[in-house]
Amino acid sequence: MKRFVSVRIAHLLALCAFLLLSTFAQAQTDPLPSWNDGASKKAILTFVKRVTTKGSPDFVPPPERIATFDNDGTLWAEQPMYFQFFFALDRVKALAPQHPEWKDKEPFASLLKGDVKGALAGGDRAMLELVLATHTGMSTEEFEKIVKDWLATAKHPVTKQPFTEMVYRPMLELLAYLRANGFKTFIVSGGGIEFMRPWMEKTYGIPPEQVVGSSIKTKFELRDGKPVLVRLPEVNFIDDNVGKPVGINQHIGRRPIAAFGNSDGDLQMLQWTTAGTGARFALIVHHTDAAREWAYDRQSSIGKLDKALDEAKAKGWTVVDMKNDWKRIFAFEQ
Amino acid sequence: MKRFVSVRIAHLLALCAFLLLSTFAQAQTDPLPSWNDGASKKAILTFVKRVTTKGSPDFVPPPERIATFDNDGTLWAEQPMYFQFFFALDRVKALAPQHPEWKDKEPFASLLKGDVKGALAGGDRAMLELVLATHTGMSTEEFEKIVKDWLATAKHPVTKQPFTEMVYRPMLELLAYLRANGFKTFIVSGGGIEFMRPWMEKTYGIPPEQVVGSSIKTKFELRDGKPVLVRLPEVNFIDDNVGKPVGINQHIGRRPIAAFGNSDGDLQMLQWTTAGTGARFALIVHHTDAAREWAYDRQSSIGKLDKALDEAKAKGWTVVDMKNDWKRIFAFEQ
């Protein structure tokens, strides 16, 4: 009898161990642990299963599993203004001693007095002028070093975190999950292509050749027999709105099967992606969490989400409610 | 004694089998069987070993193993004229009924009379006019279909082979060998990016997103609610000469460690590649085989190789002598 009981106990212990282990394994294998269970997470998992299941009518061969991601407001934050613009402001300050004429010239004059709002009163034109004045004139290699040096020390004005820490954990998990399922992940952003490339490989696991963005023209020159590419103060391409499908076609040459954005600037990319044949996926990150991040949409000057939100609802695209869908937004939380 | 002899014979047979098998295995594992043993083949094998040997001072991590290839004259033939130009000529004939005005307008008039030389008397301007007239006005998807349909039936005027059969076997082996060693292979060609992408994945194993080329502008439009990209009669980018490093930087964003070309149009790409730090490799395909292919260099209007040949000699770049270095050029030979 004693012997029988021990055997029963041993069986029970084994059963418990099995149950514990399988629960643990299940927790371990959730590919999106920072996402709450809900419609958004389910839509992602269902789509990936559909296109990766061999023999399924929706199966997509790996080379065609192209996924494109906007950056500002989709993979990292964009408030109180685009991070690249903080970079431009710091560059104006750093370069001011070499530009005495800026003291009397807008938008530089206001900026140097600390009046960012005044500087931006000139709208897109002022913004472009600031970018061209601070992003050009040097070689591509020199610019890369300037960006890296800035990122190593610059801090976000509200969170006091390095800008590369202001990336969304749920989206990092999503990038890794898609890649683990044979997707090739691309950035398609209105941001400067050479402002993004120096840090995206480390932060997102996306190599420079998979980054599409806005660009200025460059010119090949031999300097003392050494070839350089000089950055010219002339716009080459604006990768936003109607520019996004153009940029996708130019760089990737294949229509994505999944696209991820957060604003009206992403609308055409989502339209272009979902207009293809076969299974398609479109997702919009809706900024609804004023406590952990920011809450904004139709009225915002940065990352305005209005038309794309209406179209998402009309077409059944996935709209992520950051407040309710995301368990944890930033790695530095708490 | 008889027994002893049989054992000896068995041993000898085993030895013979071993020798035969190891010779066979060696032949099997030669990654470049269409290359004769010589300086060019050795230079390639040595470079790949240097950058892929862990712990070697020249080791390059896989993400940085970028190799760029010119196309015309480097991966496929380019005589008696660039193959894309045969496409343009066939398109002029196909479109002529819709363009009665072409009968009195150069370069179309000469061309429609069968006078290719006369049509080309207008030089680059005439060539550009022919390309813009035949390559634009349709959507990107329509253009892709036109290219594919043409390639399915068009034949090279001399060899009577489909153009996609006019690819160099030794270079196909080289592409595969580099990829097997962790390289990412890119096309960087003066040819039209959307003329090349439809067939390169199948022919070279290079996906559309790794093809860099010349391009015309495109415009995003909604046609009956369906998004299309319309090809405009306006040059966007010329990916040749000084344009090649610009195109590499724009699309890849990382300097190649190896580059392959055949003409002066590739010189700046080779300069840009070899000016980087660490181990670098530059190779020029020299057309020296008038019997199996064509022989041309300094005096040729197509694929002129003059300055780049001098620089290759001065800098010790690898120059492939097609006649002596390549065992077999085309798959259809004999």
Side-chain angles (χ1 to χ4, degrees):
Chain A
M1 183 66 183
K2 204 176 170 191
R3 172 99 191 256
F4 182 65
V5 170
S6 338
V7 170
R8 286 289 293 270
I9 288 171
H11 278 166
L12 275 170
L13 281 173
L15 184 66
C16 288
F18 173 75
L19 287 173
L20 279 167
L21 275 170
S22 54
T23 308
F24 183 69
Q26 208 175 1
Q28 283 291 87
T29 54
D30 177 357
L32 303 172
S34 298
W35 293 69
N36 286 316
D37 291 326
S40 296
K41 182 172 180 172
K42 196 178 164 191
I44 294 167
L45 298 173
T46 304
F47 172 75
V48 171
K49 195 170 179 192
R50 275 174 72 196
V51 297
T52 56
T53 303
K54 273 183 191 168
S56 141
D58 293 325
F59 179 76
V60 176
E64 294 168 27
R65 291 181 203 158
I66 303 288
T68 54
F69 288 80
D70 169 58
N71 182 44
D72 297 308
T74 299
L75 294 181
W76 75 353
E78 59 183 352
Q79 296 290 357
M81 63 181 178
Y82 298 124
F83 296 173
Q84 189 175 356
F85 203 67
F86 285 114
F87 169 71
L89 299 194
D90 284 347
R91 293 303 301 156
V92 168
K93 286 175 208 156
L95 294 169
Q98 296 156 49
H99 293 274
E101 77 279 10
W102 284 356
K103 271 182 200 148
D104 308 306
K105 199 183 162 193
E106 289 300 343
F108 306 97
S110 295
L111 211 67
L112 291 172
K113 284 177 210 146
D115 178 11
V116 176
K117 226 173 198 172
L120 295 186
D124 283 354
R125 212 191 125 106
M127 212 136 161
L128 182 65
E129 202 167 343
L130 286 169
V131 167
L132 290 182
T134 54
H135 286 55
T136 68
M138 68 295 281
S139 75
T140 50
E141 286 188 316
E142 287 161 353
F143 185 71
E144 183 181 339
K145 189 181 176 315
I146 292 169
V147 172
K148 281 184 172 169
D149 288 350
W150 180 77
L151 283 171
T153 58
K155 297 283 189 329
H156 187 277
V158 179
T159 65
K160 311 296 177 198
Q161 292 289 329
F163 288 102
T164 48
E165 289 295 310
M166 303 282 294
V167 296
Y168 306 136
R169 270 173 62 113
M171 296 304 281
L172 296 184
E173 291 166 7
L174 178 55
L175 285 168
Y177 171 59
L178 290 174
R179 288 195 292 260
N181 281 280
F183 281 77
K184 207 164 179 176
T185 52
F186 287 81
I187 298 292
V188 178
S189 165
I193 193 167
E194 301 214 57
F195 175 75
M196 300 188 288
R197 281 172 165 163
W199 54 273
M200 285 191 163
E201 190 159 32
K202 194 177 159 199
T203 303
Y204 298 147
I206 296 182
E209 64 268 26
Q210 286 162 225
V211 176
V212 183
S214 298
S215 57
I216 49 100
K217 288 197 191 291
T218 61
K219 187 171 174 267
F220 179 85
E221 270 183 22
L222 289 175
R223 284 187 177 171
D224 303 324
K226 193 181 173 268
V228 291
L229 288 170
V230 182
R231 294 172 55 84
L232 306 178
E234 193 184 337
V235 172
N236 178 58
F237 180 64
I238 301 293
D239 190 47
D240 203 18
N241 300 294
V242 293
K244 290 207 174 189
V246 172
I248 287 170
N249 185 60
Q250 181 70 16
H251 282 258
I252 310 177
R254 183 132 59 184
R255 196 190 294 248
I257 64 165
F260 304 82
N262 77 300
S263 78
D264 284 0
D266 302 311
L267 178 57
Q268 289 82 0
M269 171 169 78
L270 300 176
Q271 289 173 333
W272 177 245
T273 300
T274 53
T277 53
R280 301 283 155 165
F281 190 75
L283 180 148
I284 285 176
V285 174
H286 190 188
H287 294 262
T288 52
D289 195 328
R292 294 183 300 171
E293 209 240 3
W294 284 269
Y296 58 96
D297 47 34
R298 299 184 194 272
Q299 307 302 322
S300 180
S301 62
I302 301 278
K304 180 178 179 170
L305 175 64
D306 183 34
K307 282 184 191 171
L309 192 56
D310 292 337
E311 193 151 334
K313 283 175 183 168
K315 294 191 173 168
W317 296 343
T318 296
V319 178
V320 169
D321 175 347
M322 277 176 84
K323 188 173 177 179
N324 293 308
D325 282 339
W326 287 358
K327 214 172 277 178
R328 193 170 167 185
I329 297 181
F330 298 114
F332 58 79
E333 266 172 40
Q334 302 175 14
Chain B
M1 184 65 182
K2 202 176 167 191
R3 169 95 192 260
F4 181 67
V5 169
S6 349
V7 169
R8 287 287 295 267
I9 288 171
H11 278 166
L12 275 171
L13 282 172
L15 184 65
C16 289
F18 172 75
L19 288 172
L20 278 167
L21 276 170
S22 54
T23 309
F24 182 69
Q26 209 174 0
Q28 282 289 88
T29 54
D30 177 357
L32 303 172
S34 298
W35 293 68
N36 286 315
D37 291 326
S40 295
K41 183 173 180 172
K42 198 179 164 190
I44 294 167
L45 298 174
T46 304
F47 171 75
V48 170
K49 196 172 178 190
R50 274 175 72 196
V51 298
T52 56
T53 303
K54 274 186 191 166
S56 142
D58 293 325
F59 179 77
V60 176
E64 293 169 26
R65 292 182 202 157
I66 304 287
T68 54
F69 288 80
D70 169 58
N71 182 43
D72 297 308
T74 300
L75 294 181
W76 75 355
E78 60 183 351
Q79 297 290 356
M81 61 181 182
Y82 298 124
F83 296 174
Q84 189 175 356
F85 203 66
F86 286 114
F87 169 72
L89 299 193
D90 284 347
R91 292 304 301 157
V92 168
K93 287 175 207 158
L95 294 169
Q98 298 158 47
H99 293 273
E101 76 279 11
W102 284 355
K103 272 182 200 146
D104 309 307
K105 197 185 165 193
E106 290 299 347
F108 306 97
S110 297
L111 212 67
L112 291 171
K113 285 176 210 146
D115 177 11
V116 176
K117 227 173 199 172
L120 296 187
D124 284 354
R125 213 191 124 106
M127 213 138 159
L128 182 65
E129 204 167 342
L130 287 168
V131 167
L132 290 182
T134 55
H135 285 56
T136 68
M138 67 294 280
S139 75
T140 49
E141 287 187 317
E142 288 160 352
F143 185 71
E144 182 181 340
K145 188 180 178 315
I146 292 168
V147 172
K148 281 185 172 169
D149 288 350
W150 179 78
L151 283 171
T153 58
K155 296 279 187 336
H156 188 276
V158 178
T159 65
K160 311 297 178 197
Q161 292 288 330
F163 288 102
T164 47
E165 289 296 309
M166 302 282 294
V167 296
Y168 307 135
R169 269 173 60 114
M171 296 304 282
L172 296 184
E173 291 166 7
L174 178 54
L175 284 168
Y177 171 58
L178 289 174
R179 287 194 292 260
N181 281 280
F183 281 77
K184 205 163 180 177
T185 53
F186 286 81
I187 298 291
V188 177
S189 166
I193 193 165
E194 301 215 56
F195 175 75
M196 300 187 288
R197 282 172 165 164
W199 54 273
M200 286 192 162
E201 189 160 33
K202 196 177 158 200
T203 303
Y204 298 146
I206 296 182
E209 64 268 26
Q210 285 160 229
V211 176
V212 183
S214 297
S215 57
I216 48 99
K217 288 196 190 289
T218 61
K219 185 171 176 267
F220 179 86
E221 269 182 25
L222 288 176
R223 284 186 177 173
D224 303 323
K226 192 179 175 270
V228 290
L229 288 171
V230 182
R231 293 172 56 83
L232 306 177
E234 193 185 338
V235 172
N236 178 58
F237 180 63
I238 301 294
D239 190 47
D240 203 16
N241 301 293
V242 293
K244 289 206 176 188
V246 172
I248 288 170
N249 186 60
Q250 180 70 18
H251 283 258
I252 310 177
R254 183 133 58 183
R255 197 190 293 249
I257 64 164
F260 304 81
N262 77 300
S263 78
D264 284 0
D266 302 312
L267 178 57
Q268 289 82 0
M269 172 169 76
L270 300 176
Q271 289 173 333
W272 177 245
T273 299
T274 53
T277 52
R280 301 282 155 165
F281 191 74
L283 181 148
I284 285 176
V285 174
H286 190 187
H287 294 262
T288 53
D289 196 328
R292 295 184 300 171
E293 208 241 2
W294 285 269
Y296 58 97
D297 47 33
R298 297 184 194 272
Q299 306 303 323
S300 179
S301 63
I302 301 277
K304 179 178 178 170
L305 175 64
D306 184 34
K307 282 185 190 170
L309 192 55
D310 293 337
E311 193 150 334
K313 283 173 184 169
K315 293 192 173 167
W317 296 344
T318 296
V319 178
V320 169
D321 175 347
M322 278 177 82
K323 189 174 177 177
N324 294 307
D325 281 341
W326 286 0
K327 214 171 276 178
R328 192 170 169 186
I329 297 180
F330 298 115
F332 58 78
E333 268 173 35
Q334 303 174 15

